[in-house]
Amino acid sequence: MSPARTRTRWRLSLTVTTLLAASFLVPAPVNATPANATAVNATPVNAAAEDATDYAITVDPKASGAKIDDTMYGVFFEDINRAADGGLYAELVQNRSFEYTKADNASYAPLTSWATTGTARTADDGGRLNARNRTYLALDGGSSVTNSGYNTGVSVEKGKAYDFSVWARAEGASALTVTLRDADGELAGARRVTARGGWAKYTARFTATRTSADGRLTVAAGSPAALDMISLIPRDTYKGHGLRKDLAQKIAALDPGFVRFPGGCLVNTGSMKGYDETSGWERKRSYQWKDTVGPVEQRATNANVWGYNQSYGLGYYEYFQFSEDMGAMPLPVVPALVTGCGQNQAVDDDALLKRHIQDTLDLIEFANGPVTSEWGGKRARMGHPKPFHLTHLEVGNEENLPNEFFERFKQFRTAVEAKYPDVTVISNSGPDDSGSTFDTAWKLNREANVGMVDEHYYNSPQWFLQNNDRYDSYDRNGPKVFLGEYASQGNTFKNALSEAAFMTGLERNADVVKLASYAPLLANEDYVQWRPDLIWFNNHASWNSANYEVQKLFMRNAGDRVVPSGATATPSLSAPVTGAVGLSTWATSAAYDDVKVTGADGTELLTDDFSGDASKWTHTGGGTWSVQDGQYVQSDEAAENTMVSAGDPAWHDYDVHVKATKKAGKEGFLVAFGVKDTGNYYWWNLGGWNNTQSAVEQAVDGGKSTLMSKAGSIETGRAYDIDIKVRGRQVTLYLDGQEWGSFTDDKPAEPFRQVVTSDKKTGDLIVKVVNAQAADARTVIDLGGAKVRPKAAVTTLTAAPDAVNTETDTAVAPVTSTFSGAAKKFTYTFPANSVTFLRVKSIKKG
């Protein structure tokens, strides 16, 4: 994922079909069941089979579909939204080693999250704990330092034990008094340790006398002392391995087949050099695994691309251990020496490239090597003599320079395959679902017979409903797909429904899509850089999103083979693109003039040369608009999405002309059409993505997807003539009189999706149905003559489309029931806005 404003693109399927979307007129399914019908209102079909139904699902149990691997669904962990420090890593002290600097965040200093009394100062000199732990705290006698933890404070629970530790040195002896309290008093009895001589580790244990989320940890020195690595960790962690228990349990409850880590943008941003004297102790580095293993006090620290510090207390050893604890396949990602996520630079340093390739070989040895090997021995000394059984490894993440990336990727793959031929080396296809980078990357991967390619995309719910068939046309003999990052743009149940609909297509194509993981995984509600996220938390509680509940259903009910099936489609009625017009900017100041909208028959619908005022326009976005010298000017260079609109939302079949001039800023222009309201429109984004490309984007209920894109930039001070021709659902765009491109937005957003799989172990046929519409769907299910028991286990997710789970309200949760009407052919009513899993038990012959 990219720290820049992320938009994604799809490859258009220009078939003559109908679209169920905001811009279409959609009738309710024929003979829809009343909205208050429940999932158990289902009856076997026999002589009364002629009763009207809305849909039909036909299953062919004699045919053999794609095999579903145990590793089909997994999780992707990236330290974003404070997912590690302040999250999954159980450490309760923030900035425990005083390493925060402005390199991490402009507001940071070595004493961020600390308060001091008396005389306290941080030092970066020869008296430090070790070379990689650069800064320490010096306290005079009678002075103290207090840590405020994460969120509202240090969180403790009554009766639970907490392990305190500190590295300290003192010229003589210094009594250190350690207290844990909040505004209401002590949370545990004070502890005292005495530091003597050079650097040494001192420990103590607290047992909380009451529960608080507002605690403060204080260390006071009786006489001068130097302190570093002040730590407080719950004794009760996930399987005793240092991870916050409730978060780890929620991840483990998904039953993931793999864990992709550590990124993400952490992998391919920043310097590729090491944390050493040669680099000047570079603090903005790519995530390099050797920085993150060994004793925690000797691990490097680093600036996190998401705007904070990462301590590496949660490092590669802990990732491997966590994967093993969950029975999941570890899938690490290493840098390819091509930066991405908005940086987009290829590192030309052959010696550095060779070092990273060797680091990758050493990583495999660390994971799999015998204790007699160098890195296998280091793993053993950390407490794990048995190997971690690494089988897959990914090189690179979302590189926007496919040719430069692939030249380096080939060298990594060659080296790994020569020494470890059983390890699958995974490539990627860039940050988007289509476009020039995607196409070039896939061409290179196919030509080189790469085994697996990682795809990423974050799109609107409508895109996911429209693209259930995305992998139907992929080459069955080409590279397999690892869908390493995907999500619709929200945590409402509507988003989860669209993802569920898409996942039925992933399973149907399990011979192509071998791995898939939603992203991101975790988000601390007080430190958010990215939405949506699968699991939300603060310092004392965690809760599952609606999306999580969908992922869990699919992960725990995947089955082992697809059973071919088909379903009837939803009736829909297409309508032309309709809407008003609009002007906008993004981090740019621009001037607009000579706006003219003309109907297909030549009727003038709107004209404005701004010789007077701008009364025809309604300002619905940000920024500052004013009429200046006969132009309509947006003057705020920092403002994003500054939309003004004019006209009638019912307009259709029209031509738009506007003259636009960039005055200053990072990007270009945004000219909108088909504007219905602030969340539903199309716009032509000229000079987007930091003025590197232009695209047509569609917003549906606030979620954007990209319909088409091209590389290109906009010049400052130059006037451009922009023309847009809208005819039905076809749109043609012209720049300075030349056709720039055209598209037809006619792909159906089918709300009724299904897939059937079998589970050899249980003998179940698993019928999975998504009904992402406001009407119940009475459905006849024909199991193709399969003999089944009448009782089926049912799990249903249903809620209002805008329902969201929170810390205090679980609006979206699975409900289990039993259905007693299963037969070779039966009807079942799937509730409106629902995901349903029917486990029908087969009767074995003999």
Side-chain angles (χ1 to χ4, degrees):
M1 58 187 61
S2 169
R5 172 165 49 99
T6 302
R7 305 177 186 139
T8 48
R9 294 179 287 280
W10 74 73
R11 184 186 309 162
L12 285 177
S13 176
L14 301 180
T15 55
V16 181
T17 52
T18 55
L19 174 63
L20 178 66
S23 57
F24 275 48
L25 304 174
V26 184
V30 179
N31 298 320
T33 305
N36 61 355
T38 65
V40 294
N41 288 339
T43 55
V45 172
N46 40 51
E50 67 274 8
D51 290 350
T53 54
D54 306 318
Y55 295 94
I57 296 174
T58 304
V59 183
D60 185 359
K62 296 179 182 178
S64 181
K67 180 181 182 295
I68 301 175
D69 297 335
D70 291 340
T71 52
M72 172 76 178
Y73 295 119
V75 294
F76 164 49
F77 182 93
E78 179 175 6
D79 187 0
I80 184 175
N81 309 313
R82 286 284 187 186
D85 295 329
L88 185 60
Y89 184 41
E91 175 64 68
L92 298 174
V93 176
Q94 184 175 176
N95 190 18
R96 66 182 177 188
S97 61
F98 309 100
E99 294 293 328
Y100 280 22
T101 73
K102 292 186 182 303
D104 307 317
N105 187 292
S107 67
Y108 281 4
L111 284 172
T112 294
S113 78
W114 294 96
T116 62
T117 63
T119 304
R121 62 180 179 83
T122 57
D124 178 1
D125 57 29
R128 62 177 64 89
L129 176 61
N130 58 63
R132 291 162 72 81
N133 200 322
R134 306 291 294 171
T135 308
Y136 64 94
L137 180 74
L139 283 181
D140 282 354
S143 301
S144 68
V145 61
T146 299
N147 191 263
S148 56
Y150 296 93
N151 301 93
T152 55
V154 175
S155 181
V156 297
E157 187 177 345
K158 182 179 179 179
K160 294 292 182 70
Y162 298 84
D163 290 329
F164 167 83
S165 64
V166 61
W167 282 79
R169 63 172 170 80
E171 292 186 2
S174 179
L176 303 178
T177 302
V178 188
T179 57
L180 185 59
R181 64 176 67 238
D182 63 12
D184 295 327
E186 284 193 351
L187 297 171
R191 297 290 181 265
R192 179 171 292 186
V193 298
T194 301
R196 301 176 185 274
W199 285 107
K201 185 178 181 179
Y202 301 90
T203 63
R205 183 179 298 175
F206 290 94
T207 299
T209 56
R210 58 188 174 84
T211 296
S212 175
D214 307 312
R216 299 291 187 270
L217 180 73
T218 299
V219 181
S223 55
L227 308 179
D228 209 340
M229 295 295 293
I230 299 174
S231 172
L232 187 70
I233 295 182
R235 175 151 287 265
D236 185 19
T237 60
Y238 183 69
K239 298 197 174 183
H241 291 141
L243 302 186
R244 179 171 152 174
K245 197 169 185 178
D246 64 324
L247 292 179
Q249 286 175 333
K250 280 180 166 55
I251 299 168
L254 293 166
D255 195 19
F258 66 88
V259 182
R260 177 179 183 251
F261 61 88
C265 286
L266 302 185
V267 169
N268 67 338
T269 53
S271 170
M272 300 292 166
K273 296 181 179 179
Y275 191 55
D276 51 35
E277 190 171 3
T278 302
S279 72
W281 305 102
E282 174 61 59
R283 283 294 296 274
K284 292 186 176 183
R285 309 183 311 283
S286 64
Y287 196 110
Q288 300 173 42
W289 79 270
K290 289 181 180 178
D291 286 344
T292 76
V293 297
V296 291
E297 70 275 6
Q298 295 176 16
R299 298 182 188 182
T301 190
N302 201 7
N304 184 308
V305 70
W306 298 108
Y308 53 90
N309 176 272
Q310 48 193 337
S311 72
Y312 288 151
L314 174 53
Y316 257 75
Y317 178 83
E318 290 77 18
Y319 286 127
F320 279 125
Q321 183 70 72
F322 186 38
S323 301
E324 181 180 83
D325 286 344
M326 295 189 295
M329 176 182 79
L331 203 165
V333 186
V334 299
L337 273 71
V338 177
T339 59
C341 302
Q343 297 183 2
N344 303 335
Q345 296 291 324
V347 178
D348 291 316
D349 185 329
D350 191 58
L352 189 59
L353 176 62
K354 285 183 169 59
R355 192 268 282 177
H356 275 267
I357 292 172
Q358 184 59 50
D359 283 353
T360 301
L361 298 175
D362 292 344
L363 170 60
I364 300 172
E365 182 177 287
F366 178 78
N368 296 349
V371 298
T372 53
S373 66
E374 178 184 357
W375 289 100
K378 187 154 191 170
R379 180 195 69 240
R381 289 190 294 276
M382 292 185 71
H384 201 284
K386 293 182 179 180
F388 283 117
H389 305 294
L390 174 66
T391 60
H392 290 66
L393 180 144
E394 183 172 354
V395 176
N397 171 76
E398 294 189 4
E399 282 74 22
N400 257 316
L401 303 173
N403 291 295
E404 292 85 345
F405 159 74
F406 206 75
E407 283 302 310
R408 290 154 179 79
F409 170 82
K410 288 189 297 184
Q411 296 182 59
F412 278 86
R413 185 176 69 158
T414 298
V416 171
E417 289 181 344
K419 191 169 184 179
Y420 300 104
D422 293 334
V423 173
T424 299
V425 183
I426 302 171
S427 180
N428 77 81
S429 58
D432 298 325
D433 62 272
S434 64
S436 59
T437 295
F438 179 90
D439 292 340
T440 300
W442 260 105
K443 179 176 182 292
L444 293 168
N445 284 308
R446 282 192 296 267
E447 290 174 349
N449 294 316
V450 171
M452 186 174 290
V453 178
D454 188 4
E455 293 189 354
H456 294 178
Y457 36 82
Y458 297 88
N459 288 327
S460 69
Q462 176 172 292
W463 186 95
F464 283 95
L465 291 176
Q466 288 176 314
N467 283 273
N468 175 273
D469 63 348
R470 175 178 175 86
Y471 296 106
D472 290 0
S473 60
Y474 272 49
D475 182 359
R476 289 10 235 180
N477 298 313
K480 302 306 179 185
V481 172
F482 171 23
L483 181 49
E485 297 183 30
Y486 73 98
S488 68
Q489 296 159 339
N491 276 142
T492 69
F493 189 51
K494 174 183 67 178
N495 297 98
L497 281 171
S498 71
E499 291 156 5
F502 188 73
M503 292 172 78
T504 65
L506 299 183
E507 286 192 6
R508 187 176 63 251
N509 290 284
D511 57 329
V512 169
V513 183
K514 306 303 289 184
L515 306 169
S517 51
Y518 180 101
L521 180 62
L522 294 172
N524 186 319
E525 66 174 349
D526 292 333
Y527 309 93
V528 180
Q529 293 87 43
W530 188 282
R531 298 173 188 269
D533 304 285
L534 206 62
I535 300 170
W536 288 82
F537 65 93
N538 51 38
N539 66 347
H540 62 277
S542 56
W543 55 98
N544 304 330
S545 67
N547 318 66
Y548 173 98
E549 298 298 347
V550 161
Q551 292 291 323
K552 185 176 179 180
L553 268 180
F554 276 88
M555 287 193 198
R556 299 182 73 89
N557 295 278
D560 49 38
R561 188 169 292 279
V562 175
V563 181
S565 61
T568 53
T570 305
S572 61
L573 178 65
S574 65
V577 171
T578 60
V581 298
L583 308 171
S584 189
T585 59
W586 200 292
T588 301
S589 172
Y592 295 95
D593 201 358
D594 296 335
V595 177
K596 188 173 183 178
V597 182
T598 307
D601 61 359
T603 303
E604 184 179 282
L605 302 176
L606 171 72
T607 182
D608 202 335
D609 63 3
F610 303 104
S611 57
D613 56 26
S615 58
K616 297 177 182 178
W617 299 84
T618 301
H619 186 186
T620 57
T624 303
W625 289 88
S626 61
V627 175
Q628 300 177 19
D629 300 324
Q631 295 180 312
Y632 201 19
V633 178
Q634 197 294 114
S635 55
D636 187 341
E637 292 180 36
E640 299 178 348
N641 196 2
T642 64
M643 180 84 81
V644 292
S645 60
D648 189 338
W651 281 350
H652 61 87
D653 296 293
Y654 55 76
D655 298 321
V656 183
H657 172 80
V658 62
K659 189 178 289 291
T661 305
K662 174 180 176 178
K663 297 175 71 68
K666 297 179 180 179
E667 303 206 349
F669 328 116
L670 295 161
V671 179
F673 56 97
V675 179
K676 292 185 174 298
D677 52 46
T678 56
N680 295 278
Y681 54 85
Y682 300 80
W683 66 21
W684 188 5
N685 181 354
L686 289 144
W689 294 268
N690 290 320
N691 205 18
T692 61
Q693 59 184 306
S694 299
V696 179
E697 297 177 278
Q698 182 184 18
V700 177
D701 294 334
K704 291 193 190 73
S705 295
T706 304
L707 306 186
M708 62 181 304
S709 66
K710 291 183 179 181
S713 60
I714 293 298
E715 298 176 23
T716 301
R718 174 184 165 187
Y720 290 84
D721 283 307
I722 297 167
D723 291 276
I724 303 170
K725 180 179 180 180
V726 181
R727 294 293 185 272
R729 301 210 62 79
Q730 183 173 353
V731 179
T732 308
L733 307 109
Y734 301 87
L735 186 62
D736 286 337
Q738 300 296 313
E739 183 174 331
W740 179 86
S742 65
F743 67 93
T744 303
D745 181 16
D746 61 0
K747 196 168 187 179
E750 172 61 59
F752 187 87
R753 297 291 189 183
Q754 60 80 38
V755 70
V756 180
T757 64
S758 62
D759 188 328
K760 186 176 181 180
K761 184 177 180 180
T762 64
D764 292 348
L765 281 176
I766 312 171
V767 181
K768 313 170 193 184
V769 176
V770 180
N771 183 27
Q773 59 187 332
D776 292 356
R778 187 166 181 261
T779 304
V780 60
I781 301 173
D782 185 345
L783 296 180
K787 294 182 178 180
V788 297
R789 299 188 185 280
K791 287 189 176 180
V794 183
T795 305
T796 307
L797 280 177
T798 185
D802 60 352
V804 177
N805 287 346
T806 67
E807 179 182 355
T808 57
D809 181 24
T810 306
V812 183
V815 175
T816 58
S817 60
T818 300
F819 167 56
S820 299
K824 294 179 182 179
K825 192 173 185 180
F826 63 96
T827 59
Y828 193 94
T829 299
F830 296 97
N833 300 309
S834 68
V835 182
T836 304
F837 280 62
L838 282 165
R839 294 191 73 114
V840 183
K841 197 162 291 293
S842 300
I843 299 175
K844 295 181 180 179
K845 295 180 180 179

